[in-house]
Amino acid sequence: MSSRNDEVREFLSTRRAKITPQAAGLPAYGGKRRVKGLRREEVALLAGISADYYTRLEKGRLTGVSDSVLGAIAGALRLDEAERTYLFDLARTANAGVVRNLRPAAAKIRPEVQRVLDSMITAAACVCNGRLDIIGTNLLARALYSPAFDSPARSTPLAPPNIARFNFLDPNSPAFYPDFNEAENTAVQLLRAQAGRTPYDKQLTDLIGELTTRSDSFARRWASHDVRVYRTGLKRFSHPVVGEIAVSYEAMELLADEGLTMMTYTAEPGTADDERLRLLATWATTERADLR
């Protein structure tokens, strides 16, 4: 991975490249512009700071920058929630100096959390960490993600399946996602956001290094510096057992287990997707020994 200064420079420069002067409410004078999007001095003008100071910040020197200045830059660049959080995470690291993550995410879930997962009968439920390792599931989620569990792309047979590794290194993954391009983008954007939160997570940096080296698709997306928040929405799968199925997902942080998120997948009752999810549950019960 690149240095933290490089991360800041590339993130801010790619954000301002997406905004035209017209979109920012600035006059567009004639003549060919040498840069795509806004110039540094235009961002500085919109943020109410000097051009020299903004240039310093974009070069990665965020030490001592105030939250109000960061907020002004986020507003000038029209950052969304995920991008704003990422910028503040980069600044937090710069102001804290070289410190290690306070506590790594758990490698496995607590028995109490597993009981919660197992209590969900009609919903597929799993727990993931910020690296996109699936570290706990109920039986239905294990069945839903069976291609990832059975994937030869797992780092070792005993390692938890990793969604990003499955998406980019398993040749069968495109068949699992009707919206494969979106699935790839999401995985990269979530890893980028996690890198902002936990920049010294060696397992994360190793994963990103491996994927960047082995997958041109991942490397291209990683270079875009896009991030996202993953809370709720619709996800589509093309499952080898039940065919195409669309499920609603909800992401809930486990407050007692820092760095872990519970994901649930449900279908609207009475729909064809609900019928397929029930069929998958029946199959999972039949195949219980193999799935466990």
Side-chain angles (χ1 to χ4, degrees):
M1 294 175 61
S2 56
S3 71
R4 300 304 287 173
N5 283 3
D6 290 340
E7 295 290 333
V8 174
R9 182 183 67 252
E10 292 166 9
F11 176 68
L12 289 176
S13 63
T14 55
R15 296 316 94 179
R16 65 181 172 86
K18 293 184 175 184
I19 304 175
T20 64
Q22 294 90 334
L26 296 174
Y29 300 107
K32 185 177 180 180
R33 294 173 63 89
R34 293 185 298 172
V35 298
K36 182 180 179 181
L38 294 178
R39 300 185 179 99
R40 287 174 175 171
E41 57 267 28
E42 290 170 331
V43 177
L45 175 65
L46 292 169
I49 59 178
S50 72
D52 286 345
Y53 186 41
Y54 177 76
T55 297
R56 171 193 159 192
L57 297 178
E58 190 175 291
K59 288 181 178 179
R61 299 199 287 270
L62 293 181
T63 304
V65 64
S66 68
D67 286 352
S68 61
V69 169
L70 290 175
I73 292 172
L77 294 174
R78 300 193 175 187
L79 302 186
D80 63 21
E81 179 187 356
E83 293 169 326
R84 181 187 177 92
T85 299
Y86 183 68
L87 176 61
F88 274 74
D89 283 340
L90 293 174
R92 172 181 50 79
T93 301
N95 286 310
V98 181
V99 296
R100 301 298 170 186
N101 301 319
L102 295 180
R103 185 175 63 180
K108 59 182 180 180
I109 60 175
R110 292 180 290 114
E112 295 84 354
V113 176
Q114 185 63 58
R115 289 199 295 270
V116 172
L117 295 177
D118 291 337
S119 71
M120 300 183 194
I121 305 302
T122 61
C126 62
V127 173
C128 298
N129 59 28
R131 295 187 298 273
L132 306 187
D133 295 323
I134 304 176
I135 64 172
T137 72
N138 65 2
L139 192 61
L140 185 50
R142 171 64 178 80
L144 181 62
Y145 275 103
S146 56
F149 277 86
D150 298 336
S151 172
R154 291 175 72 170
S155 56
T156 70
L158 296 179
N162 180 274
I163 295 300
R165 185 176 280 111
F166 171 69
N167 287 5
F168 288 97
L169 301 184
D170 190 317
N172 296 314
S173 60
F176 185 56
Y177 298 104
D179 303 317
F180 184 58
N181 184 64
E182 176 66 14
E184 287 194 315
N185 285 338
T186 297
V188 174
Q189 291 160 7
L190 292 175
L191 288 181
R192 172 67 75 177
Q194 181 67 12
R197 289 188 293 269
T198 59
Y200 303 112
D201 182 342
K202 186 178 185 303
Q203 288 180 283
L204 176 62
T205 56
D206 287 348
L207 174 64
I208 293 168
E210 176 190 5
L211 295 176
T212 301
T213 301
R214 298 180 60 187
S215 171
D216 291 340
S217 179
F218 181 90
R220 183 175 64 255
R221 287 171 167 80
W222 186 254
S224 297
H225 289 263
D226 293 331
V227 292
R228 73 175 297 173
V229 173
Y230 199 69
R231 294 197 181 115
T232 185
L234 188 71
K235 197 169 185 67
R236 296 169 62 225
F237 301 95
S238 184
H239 198 276
V241 174
V242 298
E244 190 163 319
I245 179 172
V247 289
S248 299
Y249 67 84
E250 297 289 332
M252 296 162 281
E253 294 182 10
L254 300 181
L255 298 182
D257 299 290
E258 185 177 356
L260 299 186
T261 300
M262 181 179 293
M263 303 289 303
T264 61
Y265 302 89
T266 60
E268 184 177 351
T271 63
D273 293 309
D274 180 47
E275 183 179 347
R276 294 187 184 99
L277 196 60
R278 292 175 182 273
L279 179 60
L280 186 61
T282 300
W283 174 80
T285 302
T286 303
E287 302 293 323
R288 178 184 297 268
D290 290 339
L291 289 175
R292 291 295 188 189

